[in-house]
Amino acid sequence: MKLVFFGAPGAGKGTISKKLNEEYGLPQISTGDLFRENIKNRTELGLKVSSILEKGELVPDQLTISIVEMRTKNNDCKNGYILDGFPRTIIQAENWEKISPIDKAIYFDITDKEVMDRLSGRRVCPKCGQIYHILFNKPKKDGKCDNDDETLYIRPDDKEEAINNRLNVYHKQTEPLIEYYTNINKIVKINAVNSFEDVYSEIKSKLKLK
Ligand code: AMP
């Protein structure tokens, strides 16, 4: 099954796709994670995109599409995948439908206020990518990852100004995907304000996953 997860930043796409990956083995392909990995390893791509990510703007379409195309050629993607945070523009979506048509696009519906509350408290493990929240999903030990005891960090684009910018970019460039996937009958709308458990079971039931 080939799935797209889209919605405002902080809507829970990453957390839910990690869980679906654990339970069903569907690889999670997060363009944001791929870019951050390249920035961390100081690759040529990383150097190119680092300031774009920091400001909360979008990486150019063709560059993003080619990265996803390369990643999905891996053997682990032969039975499907979750595209987490891709596509984010109409151009990316149209191109991807030509390259490899998806089955369903899950739209995580959430308010801007909820996004702001979530992202400003988000903490991430630099090693395993596990996501926490200082109020809603605390690690067992303050500031440390439950899995590997690494010190958690705040993503530079989770600062207030960058969050506002990412929300503007989302409304302008990504929200039109709702209409695009509705028109090609692939949209599945999820109420992402609900608890993690509720969102997860709504997705499983709408995708008829056992
Ligand atoms: P995320 O982790 O999904 O919030 O993505 C972090 C950042 O990576 C975004 O703010 C963009 O700068 C960049 N990015 C991720 N996915 C895409 C995409 N599909 N198109 C363009 N830029 C992207």
Side-chain angles (χ1 to χ4, degrees):
M1 184 161 31
K2 292 188 276 185
L3 301 175
V4 156
F5 278 14
F6 78 102
K13 305 181 294 287
T15 316
I16 296 282
S17 37
K18 278 192 176 58
K19 178 80 180 156
L20 277 174
N21 171 259
E22 279 168 27
E23 201 172 336
Y24 299 97
L26 272 180
Q28 171 206 15
I29 301 175
S30 154
T31 34
D33 284 351
L34 289 174
F35 291 135
R36 278 185 291 275
E37 214 174 279
N38 275 276
I39 293 170
K40 195 168 138 197
N41 296 331
R42 298 176 174 275
T43 66
E44 202 180 316
L45 169 71
L47 294 174
K48 227 187 249 175
V49 301
S50 133
S51 69
I52 301 179
L53 262 81
E54 198 140 321
K55 283 184 256 165
E57 284 159 12
L58 291 187
V59 174
D61 287 327
Q62 286 314 322
L63 186 56
T64 308
I65 294 165
S66 61
I67 279 161
V68 179
E69 207 177 355
M70 235 154 57
R71 173 63 186 86
T72 52
K73 283 191 176 131
N74 277 12
N75 209 25
D76 63 336
C77 293
K78 63 180 191 302
N79 295 323
Y81 43 75
I82 301 167
L83 298 178
D84 166 13
F86 173 91
R88 254 174 158 96
T89 65
I90 291 283
I91 291 182
Q92 291 177 14
E94 285 175 345
N95 273 274
W96 196 257
E97 280 303 295
K98 286 183 201 139
I99 294 168
S100 178
I102 60 146
D103 295 302
K104 295 281 176 207
I106 318 295
Y107 163 48
F108 287 67
D109 189 12
I110 192 166
T111 59
D112 286 6
K113 157 97 181 55
E114 182 73 21
V115 165
M116 195 46 98
D117 290 348
R118 285 188 186 186
L119 291 188
S120 49
R122 179 159 75 174
R123 300 291 181 270
V124 186
C125 172
K127 195 168 172 197
C128 71
Q130 183 72 43
I131 301 161
Y132 299 90
H133 190 280
I134 51 168
L135 300 176
F136 315 131
N137 178 23
K138 294 184 192 175
K140 291 194 185 97
K141 228 197 295 172
D142 243 8
K144 297 281 178 186
C145 179
D146 293 350
N147 302 331
D148 44 39
D149 211 38
E150 285 282 325
T151 301
L152 304 178
Y153 79 106
I154 304 175
R155 280 173 39 173
D157 56 352
D158 280 346
K159 309 247 157 74
E160 194 172 328
E161 196 188 324
I163 298 174
N164 278 324
N165 197 26
R166 286 158 74 203
L167 276 170
N168 287 337
V169 168
Y170 168 74
H171 289 303
K172 219 160 120 196
Q173 310 217 51
T174 310
E175 218 162 51
L177 294 184
I178 301 173
E179 197 184 337
Y180 175 78
Y181 284 121
T182 303
N183 288 341
I184 60 169
N185 271 325
K186 293 193 176 182
I187 196 124
V188 174
K189 187 173 160 186
I190 300 291
N191 185 355
V193 179
N194 288 337
S195 70
F196 169 81
E197 287 75 19
D198 288 349
V199 172
Y200 191 59
S201 62
E202 190 182 349
I203 290 179
K204 277 177 40 167
S205 125
K206 289 192 169 160
L207 293 176
K208 300 190 174 61
L209 290 169
K210 298 252 163 63

PDB file of all heavy atoms in Angstrom, residues 23-58:
ATOM      1  N   GLU A  23       4.087  -1.668  13.308  1.00  0.00           N
ATOM      2  CA  GLU A  23       3.048  -2.697  13.294  1.00  0.00           C
ATOM      3  C   GLU A  23       2.923  -3.418  11.951  1.00  0.00           C
ATOM      4  O   GLU A  23       2.646  -4.608  11.918  1.00  0.00           O
ATOM      5  CB  GLU A  23       1.702  -2.080  13.696  1.00  0.00           C
ATOM      6  CG  GLU A  23       0.734  -3.139  14.190  1.00  0.00           C
ATOM      7  CD  GLU A  23      -0.542  -2.555  14.788  1.00  0.00           C
ATOM      8  OE1 GLU A  23      -0.527  -1.389  15.250  1.00  0.00           O
ATOM      9  OE2 GLU A  23      -1.548  -3.278  14.765  1.00  0.00           O
ATOM     10  N   TYR A  24       3.106  -2.702  10.850  1.00  0.00           N
ATOM     11  CA  TYR A  24       2.857  -3.312   9.534  1.00  0.00           C
ATOM     12  C   TYR A  24       4.091  -3.361   8.637  1.00  0.00           C
ATOM     13  O   TYR A  24       4.009  -3.847   7.502  1.00  0.00           O
ATOM     14  CB  TYR A  24       1.735  -2.565   8.807  1.00  0.00           C
ATOM     15  CG  TYR A  24       0.437  -2.620   9.570  1.00  0.00           C
ATOM     16  CD1 TYR A  24       0.068  -1.570  10.400  1.00  0.00           C
ATOM     17  CD2 TYR A  24      -0.395  -3.739   9.498  1.00  0.00           C
ATOM     18  CE1 TYR A  24      -1.103  -1.625  11.139  1.00  0.00           C
ATOM     19  CE2 TYR A  24      -1.567  -3.793  10.230  1.00  0.00           C
ATOM     20  CZ  TYR A  24      -1.909  -2.735  11.050  1.00  0.00           C
ATOM     21  OH  TYR A  24      -3.072  -2.801  11.781  1.00  0.00           O
ATOM     22  N   GLY A  25       5.217  -2.817   9.128  1.00  0.00           N
ATOM     23  CA  GLY A  25       6.453  -2.885   8.354  1.00  0.00           C
ATOM     24  C   GLY A  25       6.479  -1.954   7.152  1.00  0.00           C
ATOM     25  O   GLY A  25       7.363  -2.085   6.299  1.00  0.00           O
ATOM     26  N   LEU A  26       5.516  -1.044   7.054  1.00  0.00           N
ATOM     27  CA  LEU A  26       5.544  -0.095   5.931  1.00  0.00           C
ATOM     28  C   LEU A  26       6.631   0.938   6.178  1.00  0.00           C
ATOM     29  O   LEU A  26       6.579   1.646   7.188  1.00  0.00           O
ATOM     30  CB  LEU A  26       4.211   0.663   5.849  1.00  0.00           C
ATOM     31  CG  LEU A  26       3.065   0.085   5.044  1.00  0.00           C
ATOM     32  CD1 LEU A  26       1.867   1.027   5.118  1.00  0.00           C
ATOM     33  CD2 LEU A  26       3.453  -0.181   3.614  1.00  0.00           C
ATOM     34  N   PRO A  27       7.634   1.050   5.292  1.00  0.00           N
ATOM     35  CA  PRO A  27       8.682   2.031   5.561  1.00  0.00           C
ATOM     36  C   PRO A  27       8.144   3.461   5.575  1.00  0.00           C
ATOM     37  O   PRO A  27       7.291   3.813   4.761  1.00  0.00           O
ATOM     38  CB  PRO A  27       9.674   1.845   4.420  1.00  0.00           C
ATOM     39  CG  PRO A  27       9.091   0.891   3.486  1.00  0.00           C
ATOM     40  CD  PRO A  27       7.857   0.295   4.066  1.00  0.00           C
ATOM     41  N   GLN A  28       8.636   4.244   6.533  1.00  0.00           N
ATOM     42  CA  GLN A  28       8.246   5.653   6.634  1.00  0.00           C
ATOM     43  C   GLN A  28       9.299   6.465   5.889  1.00  0.00           C
ATOM     44  O   GLN A  28      10.475   6.420   6.247  1.00  0.00           O
ATOM     45  CB  GLN A  28       8.221   6.079   8.102  1.00  0.00           C
ATOM     46  CG  GLN A  28       8.050   7.571   8.298  1.00  0.00           C
ATOM     47  CD  GLN A  28       8.627   8.070   9.623  1.00  0.00           C
ATOM     48  OE1 GLN A  28       9.398   7.368  10.277  1.00  0.00           O
ATOM     49  NE2 GLN A  28       8.269   9.264  10.010  1.00  0.00           N
ATOM     50  N   ILE A  29       8.882   7.171   4.871  1.00  0.00           N
ATOM     51  CA  ILE A  29       9.826   8.015   4.143  1.00  0.00           C
ATOM     52  C   ILE A  29       9.495   9.465   4.453  1.00  0.00           C
ATOM     53  O   ILE A  29       8.523  10.013   3.941  1.00  0.00           O
ATOM     54  CB  ILE A  29       9.767   7.742   2.629  1.00  0.00           C
ATOM     55  CG1 ILE A  29      10.088   6.267   2.397  1.00  0.00           C
ATOM     56  CG2 ILE A  29      10.723   8.654   1.874  1.00  0.00           C
ATOM     57  CD1 ILE A  29       9.959   5.822   0.975  1.00  0.00           C
ATOM     58  N   SER A  30      10.274  10.029   5.347  1.00  0.00           N
ATOM     59  CA  SER A  30      10.037  11.419   5.747  1.00  0.00           C
ATOM     60  C   SER A  30      11.060  12.295   5.034  1.00  0.00           C
ATOM     61  O   SER A  30      12.266  12.177   5.271  1.00  0.00           O
ATOM     62  CB  SER A  30      10.190  11.545   7.272  1.00  0.00           C
ATOM     63  OG  SER A  30      10.546  12.863   7.600  1.00  0.00           O
ATOM     64  N   THR A  31      10.580  13.164   4.154  1.00  0.00           N
ATOM     65  CA  THR A  31      11.503  14.045   3.436  1.00  0.00           C
ATOM     66  C   THR A  31      12.230  14.954   4.431  1.00  0.00           C
ATOM     67  O   THR A  31      13.416  15.199   4.294  1.00  0.00           O
ATOM     68  CB  THR A  31      10.753  14.885   2.370  1.00  0.00           C
ATOM     69  OG1 THR A  31       9.450  15.200   2.852  1.00  0.00           O
ATOM     70  CG2 THR A  31      10.639  14.145   1.075  1.00  0.00           C
ATOM     71  N   GLY A  32      11.514  15.394   5.473  1.00  0.00           N
ATOM     72  CA  GLY A  32      12.144  16.238   6.487  1.00  0.00           C
ATOM     73  C   GLY A  32      13.316  15.493   7.127  1.00  0.00           C
ATOM     74  O   GLY A  32      14.415  16.042   7.270  1.00  0.00           O
ATOM     75  N   ASP A  33      13.106  14.214   7.507  1.00  0.00           N
ATOM     76  CA  ASP A  33      14.190  13.420   8.114  1.00  0.00           C
ATOM     77  C   ASP A  33      15.344  13.244   7.121  1.00  0.00           C
ATOM     78  O   ASP A  33      16.516  13.324   7.509  1.00  0.00           O
ATOM     79  CB  ASP A  33      13.693  12.018   8.517  1.00  0.00           C
ATOM     80  CG  ASP A  33      12.856  12.052   9.795  1.00  0.00           C
ATOM     81  OD1 ASP A  33      12.815  13.113  10.447  1.00  0.00           O
ATOM     82  OD2 ASP A  33      12.235  11.012  10.130  1.00  0.00           O
ATOM     83  N   LEU A  34      15.024  12.999   5.853  1.00  0.00           N
ATOM     84  CA  LEU A  34      16.084  12.802   4.857  1.00  0.00           C
ATOM     85  C   LEU A  34      16.933  14.075   4.737  1.00  0.00           C
ATOM     86  O   LEU A  34      18.164  14.006   4.710  1.00  0.00           O
ATOM     87  CB  LEU A  34      15.492  12.457   3.484  1.00  0.00           C
ATOM     88  CG  LEU A  34      14.851  11.063   3.354  1.00  0.00           C
ATOM     89  CD1 LEU A  34      14.173  10.897   2.000  1.00  0.00           C
ATOM     90  CD2 LEU A  34      15.902   9.963   3.538  1.00  0.00           C
ATOM     91  N   PHE A  35      16.251  15.227   4.702  1.00  0.00           N
ATOM     92  CA  PHE A  35      17.006  16.488   4.621  1.00  0.00           C
ATOM     93  C   PHE A  35      17.844  16.698   5.881  1.00  0.00           C
ATOM     94  O   PHE A  35      19.014  17.062   5.804  1.00  0.00           O
ATOM     95  CB  PHE A  35      16.064  17.679   4.424  1.00  0.00           C
ATOM     96  CG  PHE A  35      15.398  17.718   3.066  1.00  0.00           C
ATOM     97  CD1 PHE A  35      14.041  17.985   2.943  1.00  0.00           C
ATOM     98  CD2 PHE A  35      16.131  17.480   1.914  1.00  0.00           C
ATOM     99  CE1 PHE A  35      13.422  18.025   1.697  1.00  0.00           C
ATOM    100  CE2 PHE A  35      15.525  17.511   0.661  1.00  0.00           C
ATOM    101  CZ  PHE A  35      14.170  17.790   0.555  1.00  0.00           C
ATOM    102  N   ARG A  36      17.242  16.438   7.055  1.00  0.00           N
ATOM    103  CA  ARG A  36      17.985  16.671   8.308  1.00  0.00           C
ATOM    104  C   ARG A  36      19.206  15.756   8.411  1.00  0.00           C
ATOM    105  O   ARG A  36      20.260  16.149   8.892  1.00  0.00           O
ATOM    106  CB  ARG A  36      17.064  16.480   9.527  1.00  0.00           C
ATOM    107  CG  ARG A  36      16.218  17.719   9.826  1.00  0.00           C
ATOM    108  CD  ARG A  36      15.403  17.552  11.089  1.00  0.00           C
ATOM    109  NE  ARG A  36      14.350  16.568  10.931  1.00  0.00           N
ATOM    110  CZ  ARG A  36      13.152  16.841  10.419  1.00  0.00           C
ATOM    111  NH1 ARG A  36      12.855  18.044  10.032  1.00  0.00           N
ATOM    112  NH2 ARG A  36      12.248  15.887  10.294  1.00  0.00           N
ATOM    113  N   GLU A  37      19.060  14.525   7.931  1.00  0.00           N
ATOM    114  CA  GLU A  37      20.182  13.580   7.938  1.00  0.00           C
ATOM    115  C   GLU A  37      21.331  14.126   7.095  1.00  0.00           C
ATOM    116  O   GLU A  37      22.496  14.064   7.473  1.00  0.00           O
ATOM    117  CB  GLU A  37      19.686  12.274   7.327  1.00  0.00           C
ATOM    118  CG  GLU A  37      20.284  11.021   7.908  1.00  0.00           C
ATOM    119  CD  GLU A  37      19.568   9.850   7.290  1.00  0.00           C
ATOM    120  OE1 GLU A  37      18.459   9.530   7.766  1.00  0.00           O
ATOM    121  OE2 GLU A  37      20.080   9.292   6.289  1.00  0.00           O
ATOM    122  N   ASN A  38      20.975  14.661   5.922  1.00  0.00           N
ATOM    123  CA  ASN A  38      21.998  15.226   5.035  1.00  0.00           C
ATOM    124  C   ASN A  38      22.663  16.454   5.642  1.00  0.00           C
ATOM    125  O   ASN A  38      23.856  16.675   5.462  1.00  0.00           O
ATOM    126  CB  ASN A  38      21.377  15.597   3.678  1.00  0.00           C
ATOM    127  CG  ASN A  38      21.333  14.391   2.760  1.00  0.00           C
ATOM    128  OD1 ASN A  38      22.314  14.077   2.098  1.00  0.00           O
ATOM    129  ND2 ASN A  38      20.211  13.680   2.749  1.00  0.00           N
ATOM    130  N   ILE A  39      21.874  17.248   6.371  1.00  0.00           N
ATOM    131  CA  ILE A  39      22.448  18.435   7.022  1.00  0.00           C
ATOM    132  C   ILE A  39      23.435  17.990   8.101  1.00  0.00           C
ATOM    133  O   ILE A  39      24.553  18.482   8.198  1.00  0.00           O
ATOM    134  CB  ILE A  39      21.332  19.323   7.619  1.00  0.00           C
ATOM    135  CG1 ILE A  39      20.484  19.920   6.492  1.00  0.00           C
ATOM    136  CG2 ILE A  39      21.912  20.418   8.501  1.00  0.00           C
ATOM    137  CD1 ILE A  39      19.217  20.625   6.948  1.00  0.00           C
ATOM    138  N   LYS A  40      23.011  16.977   8.873  1.00  0.00           N
ATOM    139  CA  LYS A  40      23.854  16.472   9.965  1.00  0.00           C
ATOM    140  C   LYS A  40      25.173  15.924   9.418  1.00  0.00           C
ATOM    141  O   LYS A  40      26.243  16.144   9.982  1.00  0.00           O
ATOM    142  CB  LYS A  40      23.080  15.365  10.689  1.00  0.00           C
ATOM    143  CG  LYS A  40      23.634  14.991  12.034  1.00  0.00           C
ATOM    144  CD  LYS A  40      22.647  14.115  12.778  1.00  0.00           C
ATOM    145  CE  LYS A  40      23.324  12.979  13.480  1.00  0.00           C
ATOM    146  NZ  LYS A  40      22.381  11.926  13.865  1.00  0.00           N
ATOM    147  N   ASN A  41      25.091  15.211   8.276  1.00  0.00           N
ATOM    148  CA  ASN A  41      26.289  14.604   7.695  1.00  0.00           C
ATOM    149  C   ASN A  41      27.051  15.551   6.772  1.00  0.00           C
ATOM    150  O   ASN A  41      27.990  15.140   6.098  1.00  0.00           O
ATOM    151  CB  ASN A  41      25.918  13.332   6.922  1.00  0.00           C
ATOM    152  CG  ASN A  41      25.342  12.279   7.844  1.00  0.00           C
ATOM    153  OD1 ASN A  41      25.672  12.235   9.026  1.00  0.00           O
ATOM    154  ND2 ASN A  41      24.456  11.440   7.327  1.00  0.00           N
ATOM    155  N   ARG A  42      26.599  16.811   6.716  1.00  0.00           N
ATOM    156  CA  ARG A  42      27.247  17.842   5.899  1.00  0.00           C
ATOM    157  C   ARG A  42      27.486  17.404   4.462  1.00  0.00           C
ATOM    158  O   ARG A  42      28.563  17.614   3.888  1.00  0.00           O
ATOM    159  CB  ARG A  42      28.577  18.277   6.521  1.00  0.00           C
ATOM    160  CG  ARG A  42      28.387  18.897   7.877  1.00  0.00           C
ATOM    161  CD  ARG A  42      29.720  19.232   8.524  1.00  0.00           C
ATOM    162  NE  ARG A  42      29.504  19.960   9.758  1.00  0.00           N
ATOM    163  CZ  ARG A  42      29.326  21.274   9.835  1.00  0.00           C
ATOM    164  NH1 ARG A  42      29.341  22.005   8.758  1.00  0.00           N
ATOM    165  NH2 ARG A  42      29.122  21.855  11.001  1.00  0.00           N
ATOM    166  N   THR A  43      26.505  16.761   3.860  1.00  0.00           N
ATOM    167  CA  THR A  43      26.624  16.384   2.450  1.00  0.00           C
ATOM    168  C   THR A  43      26.382  17.624   1.598  1.00  0.00           C
ATOM    169  O   THR A  43      25.919  18.658   2.090  1.00  0.00           O
ATOM    170  CB  THR A  43      25.567  15.332   2.062  1.00  0.00           C
ATOM    171  OG1 THR A  43      24.279  15.958   2.173  1.00  0.00           O
ATOM    172  CG2 THR A  43      25.608  14.113   2.971  1.00  0.00           C
ATOM    173  N   GLU A  44      26.626  17.477   0.294  1.00  0.00           N
ATOM    174  CA  GLU A  44      26.404  18.593  -0.631  1.00  0.00           C
ATOM    175  C   GLU A  44      24.934  19.028  -0.566  1.00  0.00           C
ATOM    176  O   GLU A  44      24.618  20.216  -0.503  1.00  0.00           O
ATOM    177  CB  GLU A  44      26.741  18.113  -2.044  1.00  0.00           C
ATOM    178  CG  GLU A  44      27.066  19.229  -2.992  1.00  0.00           C
ATOM    179  CD  GLU A  44      27.381  18.683  -4.376  1.00  0.00           C
ATOM    180  OE1 GLU A  44      28.129  17.676  -4.460  1.00  0.00           O
ATOM    181  OE2 GLU A  44      26.850  19.237  -5.342  1.00  0.00           O
ATOM    182  N   LEU A  45      24.032  18.037  -0.555  1.00  0.00           N
ATOM    183  CA  LEU A  45      22.604  18.334  -0.464  1.00  0.00           C
ATOM    184  C   LEU A  45      22.295  19.065   0.852  1.00  0.00           C
ATOM    185  O   LEU A  45      21.573  20.056   0.869  1.00  0.00           O
ATOM    186  CB  LEU A  45      21.785  17.034  -0.560  1.00  0.00           C
ATOM    187  CG  LEU A  45      20.306  17.170  -0.225  1.00  0.00           C
ATOM    188  CD1 LEU A  45      19.565  17.932  -1.315  1.00  0.00           C
ATOM    189  CD2 LEU A  45      19.658  15.795  -0.034  1.00  0.00           C
ATOM    190  N   GLY A  46      22.880  18.544   1.935  1.00  0.00           N
ATOM    191  CA  GLY A  46      22.654  19.142   3.251  1.00  0.00           C
ATOM    192  C   GLY A  46      23.031  20.614   3.272  1.00  0.00           C
ATOM    193  O   GLY A  46      22.293  21.453   3.795  1.00  0.00           O
ATOM    194  N   LEU A  47      24.193  20.937   2.683  1.00  0.00           N
ATOM    195  CA  LEU A  47      24.642  22.332   2.676  1.00  0.00           C
ATOM    196  C   LEU A  47      23.690  23.210   1.865  1.00  0.00           C
ATOM    197  O   LEU A  47      23.413  24.344   2.206  1.00  0.00           O
ATOM    198  CB  LEU A  47      26.061  22.427   2.096  1.00  0.00           C
ATOM    199  CG  LEU A  47      27.136  21.759   2.955  1.00  0.00           C
ATOM    200  CD1 LEU A  47      28.484  21.759   2.254  1.00  0.00           C
ATOM    201  CD2 LEU A  47      27.251  22.453   4.320  1.00  0.00           C
ATOM    202  N   LYS A  48      23.140  22.599   0.796  1.00  0.00           N
ATOM    203  CA  LYS A  48      22.224  23.348  -0.066  1.00  0.00           C
ATOM    204  C   LYS A  48      20.908  23.687   0.645  1.00  0.00           C
ATOM    205  O   LYS A  48      20.346  24.751   0.456  1.00  0.00           O
ATOM    206  CB  LYS A  48      21.908  22.452  -1.281  1.00  0.00           C
ATOM    207  CG  LYS A  48      22.014  23.174  -2.615  1.00  0.00           C
ATOM    208  CD  LYS A  48      21.525  22.287  -3.726  1.00  0.00           C
ATOM    209  CE  LYS A  48      22.631  21.845  -4.647  1.00  0.00           C
ATOM    210  NZ  LYS A  48      22.192  20.892  -5.662  1.00  0.00           N
ATOM    211  N   VAL A  49      20.414  22.732   1.462  1.00  0.00           N
ATOM    212  CA  VAL A  49      19.054  22.909   2.001  1.00  0.00           C
ATOM    213  C   VAL A  49      19.014  23.441   3.434  1.00  0.00           C
ATOM    214  O   VAL A  49      17.937  23.794   3.908  1.00  0.00           O
ATOM    215  CB  VAL A  49      18.234  21.588   1.917  1.00  0.00           C
ATOM    216  CG1 VAL A  49      18.137  21.114   0.481  1.00  0.00           C
ATOM    217  CG2 VAL A  49      18.781  20.510   2.824  1.00  0.00           C
ATOM    218  N   SER A  50      20.172  23.496   4.096  1.00  0.00           N
ATOM    219  CA  SER A  50      20.156  23.793   5.524  1.00  0.00           C
ATOM    220  C   SER A  50      19.460  25.128   5.867  1.00  0.00           C
ATOM    221  O   SER A  50      18.629  25.202   6.769  1.00  0.00           O
ATOM    222  CB  SER A  50      21.584  23.698   6.040  1.00  0.00           C
ATOM    223  OG  SER A  50      21.908  24.750   6.805  1.00  0.00           O
ATOM    224  N   SER A  51      19.767  26.206   5.113  1.00  0.00           N
ATOM    225  CA  SER A  51      19.152  27.503   5.460  1.00  0.00           C
ATOM    226  C   SER A  51      17.664  27.500   5.096  1.00  0.00           C
ATOM    227  O   SER A  51      16.872  28.194   5.730  1.00  0.00           O
ATOM    228  CB  SER A  51      19.890  28.647   4.774  1.00  0.00           C
ATOM    229  OG  SER A  51      19.671  28.582   3.396  1.00  0.00           O
ATOM    230  N   ILE A  52      17.291  26.734   4.103  1.00  0.00           N
ATOM    231  CA  ILE A  52      15.864  26.657   3.716  1.00  0.00           C
ATOM    232  C   ILE A  52      15.068  26.041   4.866  1.00  0.00           C
ATOM    233  O   ILE A  52      14.017  26.542   5.267  1.00  0.00           O
ATOM    234  CB  ILE A  52      15.671  25.781   2.441  1.00  0.00           C
ATOM    235  CG1 ILE A  52      16.469  26.350   1.273  1.00  0.00           C
ATOM    236  CG2 ILE A  52      14.198  25.631   2.102  1.00  0.00           C
ATOM    237  CD1 ILE A  52      16.370  25.568  -0.026  1.00  0.00           C
ATOM    238  N   LEU A  53      15.590  24.937   5.424  1.00  0.00           N
ATOM    239  CA  LEU A  53      14.888  24.277   6.534  1.00  0.00           C
ATOM    240  C   LEU A  53      14.823  25.188   7.752  1.00  0.00           C
ATOM    241  O   LEU A  53      13.798  25.278   8.410  1.00  0.00           O
ATOM    242  CB  LEU A  53      15.568  22.960   6.904  1.00  0.00           C
ATOM    243  CG  LEU A  53      14.907  21.729   6.285  1.00  0.00           C
ATOM    244  CD1 LEU A  53      15.359  21.543   4.856  1.00  0.00           C
ATOM    245  CD2 LEU A  53      15.164  20.480   7.094  1.00  0.00           C
ATOM    246  N   GLU A  54      15.929  25.837   8.019  1.00  0.00           N
ATOM    247  CA  GLU A  54      15.974  26.681   9.212  1.00  0.00           C
ATOM    248  C   GLU A  54      14.899  27.768   9.171  1.00  0.00           C
ATOM    249  O   GLU A  54      14.293  28.098  10.175  1.00  0.00           O
ATOM    250  CB  GLU A  54      17.372  27.303   9.343  1.00  0.00           C
ATOM    251  CG  GLU A  54      17.611  27.818  10.733  1.00  0.00           C
ATOM    252  CD  GLU A  54      19.019  27.530  11.223  1.00  0.00           C
ATOM    253  OE1 GLU A  54      19.555  26.438  10.956  1.00  0.00           O
ATOM    254  OE2 GLU A  54      19.564  28.410  11.855  1.00  0.00           O
ATOM    255  N   LYS A  55      14.642  28.304   7.972  1.00  0.00           N
ATOM    256  CA  LYS A  55      13.638  29.375   7.845  1.00  0.00           C
ATOM    257  C   LYS A  55      12.217  28.812   7.761  1.00  0.00           C
ATOM    258  O   LYS A  55      11.248  29.545   7.806  1.00  0.00           O
ATOM    259  CB  LYS A  55      13.920  30.201   6.586  1.00  0.00           C
ATOM    260  CG  LYS A  55      15.081  31.164   6.766  1.00  0.00           C
ATOM    261  CD  LYS A  55      15.269  32.033   5.546  1.00  0.00           C
ATOM    262  CE  LYS A  55      16.444  31.549   4.743  1.00  0.00           C
ATOM    263  NZ  LYS A  55      16.699  31.933   3.442  1.00  0.00           N
ATOM    264  N   GLY A  56      12.108  27.501   7.566  1.00  0.00           N
ATOM    265  CA  GLY A  56      10.775  26.908   7.441  1.00  0.00           C
ATOM    266  C   GLY A  56      10.201  27.025   6.043  1.00  0.00           C
ATOM    267  O   GLY A  56       9.010  26.896   5.828  1.00  0.00           O
ATOM    268  N   GLU A  57      11.093  27.285   5.058  1.00  0.00           N
ATOM    269  CA  GLU A  57      10.607  27.351   3.671  1.00  0.00           C
ATOM    270  C   GLU A  57      10.695  25.985   2.998  1.00  0.00           C
ATOM    271  O   GLU A  57      11.179  25.036   3.600  1.00  0.00           O
ATOM    272  CB  GLU A  57      11.421  28.396   2.902  1.00  0.00           C
ATOM    273  CG  GLU A  57      10.962  29.795   3.291  1.00  0.00           C
ATOM    274  CD  GLU A  57      11.977  30.860   3.005  1.00  0.00           C
ATOM    275  OE1 GLU A  57      12.962  30.585   2.303  1.00  0.00           O
ATOM    276  OE2 GLU A  57      11.774  31.974   3.512  1.00  0.00           O
ATOM    277  N   LEU A  58      10.249  25.908   1.740  1.00  0.00           N
ATOM    278  CA  LEU A  58      10.251  24.600   1.081  1.00  0.00           C
ATOM    279  C   LEU A  58      11.463  24.433   0.173  1.00  0.00           C
ATOM    280  O   LEU A  58      11.874  25.364  -0.518  1.00  0.00           O
ATOM    281  CB  LEU A  58       8.976  24.416   0.241  1.00  0.00           C
ATOM    282  CG  LEU A  58       7.663  24.266   1.002  1.00  0.00           C
ATOM    283  CD1 LEU A  58       6.529  23.913   0.041  1.00  0.00           C
ATOM    284  CD2 LEU A  58       7.748  23.204   2.095  1.00  0.00           C
TER     285      LEU A  58
END
